[in-house]
Amino acid sequence: MSDAPTLRERRNRTLGPYSPLFYSTPLHAVSASGVWITSADGSRYLDAYNNVPCVGHGNPRVIAAAAEQWATLNVHTRYLNERVVDYAERLLATFDGDLDRVLFTNSGSESNELALRIAQQLTGSTGVIVSDFSYHGNTRALAVLTTGLQVKEPFGAHVRAVRIPDAVGDAAAGVLADALAEVDAAIASLQAAGHGVSAVLFDPSFSTEGLNNVPEGYVAGLVERVRAAGGVVIADEVQSGFGRMGEALWGHRVVGIHPDLVTLGKPMGNGHPIGGVVTSERVLDAFGSQNMFFNTFAGNPVSSAVGLAVLDEIADRGLVERAASLGAVARERMEKYTASLPQVKAVKGRGLFFGLELVDAAGAPDAAGARDLVEGMYRRGVLISRIGPGDNVLKIRPPLVIDDEEFGIVLGTLEQVLAEGDRTR
C-alpha cells in the first residue's frame, strides 16, 4: 500500500491536481463501518460529514440486498422486472398528493438536468431562478446556473440568481419583504428579456447557501410567484431528503411546499449510484409522450434492491424521528454553549444537518477560523467541513444511524475545539 504522499502524487498524475481534497494532511481512508472511517495507519475517525451513506457505511442490509439481486439478475430497464416496480411503488408511497410518477437516473446531476429539461418543455420558457450561492450538479446545463463554486462557463443569460434571506426574530419581516421583492425583480427581468420563467430550482435545506435561517413565508412566497409567472417548482432533495432535516422524510415538506418535480441522488442508494425525478402523472405524460426517454442503467434491479433496503432501514430504525430528536439536542446544546462566544454568530440548520456561523472580531465572516476549527476536529478524530458564501459555516451531517454516544463525541469535541480556540495558521 502506498504511503499518503506517494498516493497523492499518483492521484495527481492520473486524476489531475484539480479535484479538491479535504484537510491540510488528506485522510487516506481504507475502510468504514457505521459512522467510523479507518485510515491507512489504523486511526479511526468519526464521520460527521458524509450524507451519502445515510444508513451508515457498509450497511449490512444494503450490502446483502445488492449482492443477492446481483447474483440473481441485473439488466437494463427495457425488460419487465418486479423489483424495479416494487421500488418505484415504495418510493412514491412516501410522497404526497399528485407526486405519483418517477423517472430513475444515476445521479443528482442527471436528475436536475432532466428536471430542467422537463420544465422547459412543459412551460415553453427557458428562464430559471436559483439562489445566489448554490450548486446543483456538474452538467453543462447546471454549470451555467452555478453560483456556489468556480466554473468557466459564463452565467446563463436565461438565469437569474436571488439572495436567500437569513434572519430570525424582529429582523425577519424587513428581510422577508426585501427578498421577495428581489424575486419579483428576477421574474420581471426574465420576462422582459424574452426568456419567461420555466422553473425555480432550490435545495429546501439551503445547504450550500450556509443553512440559512429562512424567515417564515419566504419559500411559500417564492413558490407562489414562480407559479404565477407560469413556471414550475423543482425541489432538489439531494441534500435535504431521506430524513436529513428530521421533521419529515422530504425537505419540501419541512418548508411547507408542494413542488412539481423533486430531484433525488446521493443518499438514495447509500453510496450506490442511483437518482430520480419524482413528478405527477400530468407532467410525465406531457414529457413522455413527446420524448423517447430511457436510461440503460438507471433503476436497474440491483439499484432498486439497494433503494428498497435504504427505505427499509430508515423506516425500521425510525431514522427520521431520530434525526429530529438529535437535531433538537444539538441546537439546544449549541445555543447554550455558544451564547457567550462572540465568534459564533448563529446556530444553523435542522435535524442532522447543522452547523455554526463563525465571525471575526469585526463581525465579518471568518473563513480562516472555520478552516482551523475543521482541522482541529480532524486532529481529534471527527470529520466535518464548512460551507456558505463566506466559507464560515461549519457543516455537520453524520450518517443518520449515529448513536447517542457517537453524537455526544461530535458535540463534545466541537465544544472542546471551540474552547481551545484552535488555530493552525
Side-chain angles (χ1 to χ4, degrees):
M1 181 184 294
S2 299
D3 58 44
T6 302
L7 183 59
R8 187 172 187 176
E9 182 182 352
R10 288 172 56 203
R11 185 182 195 266
N12 288 345
R13 288 201 309 267
T14 52
L15 305 180
Y18 307 107
S19 181
L21 287 165
F22 286 153
Y23 312 116
S24 56
T25 303
L27 173 62
H28 182 181
V30 296
S31 66
S33 178
V35 300
W36 295 94
I37 295 178
T38 301
S39 69
D41 66 3
S43 299
R44 295 177 77 227
Y45 294 85
L46 200 164
D47 181 4
Y49 171 77
N50 284 294
N51 70 319
V52 179
C54 63
V55 295
H57 294 279
N59 182 283
R61 191 178 201 167
V62 174
I63 292 170
E68 180 182 353
Q69 183 59 54
W70 212 325
T72 304
L73 173 71
N74 197 35
V75 69
H76 62 71
T77 54
R78 281 166 286 174
Y79 301 120
L80 283 173
N81 181 265
E82 194 161 9
R83 185 59 60 89
V84 176
V85 179
D86 285 345
Y87 180 49
E89 290 172 342
R90 279 282 305 282
L91 180 67
L92 291 171
T94 68
F95 287 88
D96 295 325
D98 63 350
L99 293 173
D100 58 2
R101 296 292 187 273
V102 61
L103 294 159
F104 288 121
T105 69
N106 298 291
S107 70
S109 290
E110 188 181 340
S111 298
N112 282 323
E113 171 93 10
L114 177 58
L116 288 174
R117 180 183 174 193
I118 292 171
Q120 291 176 358
Q121 291 190 22
L122 187 69
T123 64
S125 298
T126 59
V128 180
I129 295 174
V130 295
S131 92
D132 65 358
F133 201 80
S134 59
Y135 170 72
H136 296 283
N138 55 22
T139 68
R140 187 185 184 282
L142 297 170
V144 300
L145 53 77
T146 295
T147 54
L149 51 79
Q150 179 182 342
V151 294
K152 184 176 181 180
E153 287 86 355
F155 195 61
H158 65 294
V159 186
R160 298 294 182 271
V162 297
R163 175 181 51 87
I164 304 301
D166 186 13
V168 294
D170 295 339
V175 169
L176 174 62
D178 290 345
L180 290 176
E182 193 173 327
V183 174
D184 290 333
I187 291 171
S189 174
L190 287 171
Q191 292 171 332
H195 301 295
V197 179
S198 70
V200 60
L201 171 61
F202 66 92
D203 161 15
S205 66
F206 298 105
S207 57
T208 303
E209 294 85 346
L211 297 171
N212 289 8
N213 291 314
V214 179
E216 184 75 24
Y218 175 74
V219 179
L222 170 64
V223 166
E224 179 184 0
R225 285 161 169 77
V226 167
R227 286 192 170 134
V232 299
V233 177
I234 305 172
D236 180 347
E237 295 270 11
V238 172
Q239 299 284 344
S240 60
F242 293 93
R244 176 59 53 182
M245 296 178 74
E247 297 167 43
L249 190 66
W250 304 114
H252 64 266
R253 281 189 193 159
V254 175
V255 298
I257 59 108
H258 186 76
D260 302 287
L261 300 112
V262 180
T263 55
L264 311 174
K266 293 176 182 176
M268 189 174 184
N270 207 53
H272 179 88
I274 181 172
V277 178
V278 173
T279 189
S280 64
E281 180 182 13
R282 176 186 68 84
V283 171
L284 183 57
D285 284 350
F287 177 75
S289 63
Q290 301 297 314
N291 301 273
M292 182 182 287
F293 178 84
F294 64 92
N295 189 308
T296 300
F297 295 112
N300 62 68
V302 169
S303 295
S304 298
V306 167
L308 280 165
V310 170
L311 290 179
D312 286 340
E313 283 285 271
I314 291 172
D316 293 351
R317 299 173 69 171
L319 296 182
V320 178
E321 297 79 8
R322 182 158 183 77
S325 63
L326 289 178
V329 168
R331 177 167 284 274
E332 181 180 1
R333 182 165 164 178
M334 287 296 102
E335 286 181 343
K336 181 177 180 180
Y337 185 82
T338 62
S340 61
L341 299 180
Q343 71 267 37
V344 178
K345 181 178 179 180
V347 178
K348 314 297 284 286
R350 299 185 185 189
L352 282 178
F353 198 159
F354 63 96
L356 304 176
E357 182 180 2
L358 304 179
V359 293
D360 61 21
D366 189 3
R371 178 202 64 203
D372 294 341
L373 280 166
V374 170
E375 291 282 346
M377 295 286 283
Y378 176 46
R379 288 198 302 274
R380 289 165 176 78
V382 178
L383 307 179
I384 66 170
S385 188
R386 55 195 175 123
I387 47 175
D391 217 14
N392 65 315
V393 178
L394 301 183
K395 184 179 187 179
I396 305 172
R397 50 172 195 186
L400 302 179
V401 295
I402 191 168
D403 67 27
D404 291 351
E405 181 180 357
E406 292 161 340
F407 198 61
I409 293 172
V410 175
L411 298 182
T413 305
L414 180 57
E415 290 169 349
Q416 179 185 4
V417 175
L418 284 165
E420 294 179 2
D422 271 46
R423 291 292 181 267
T424 59
R425 62 185 186 273

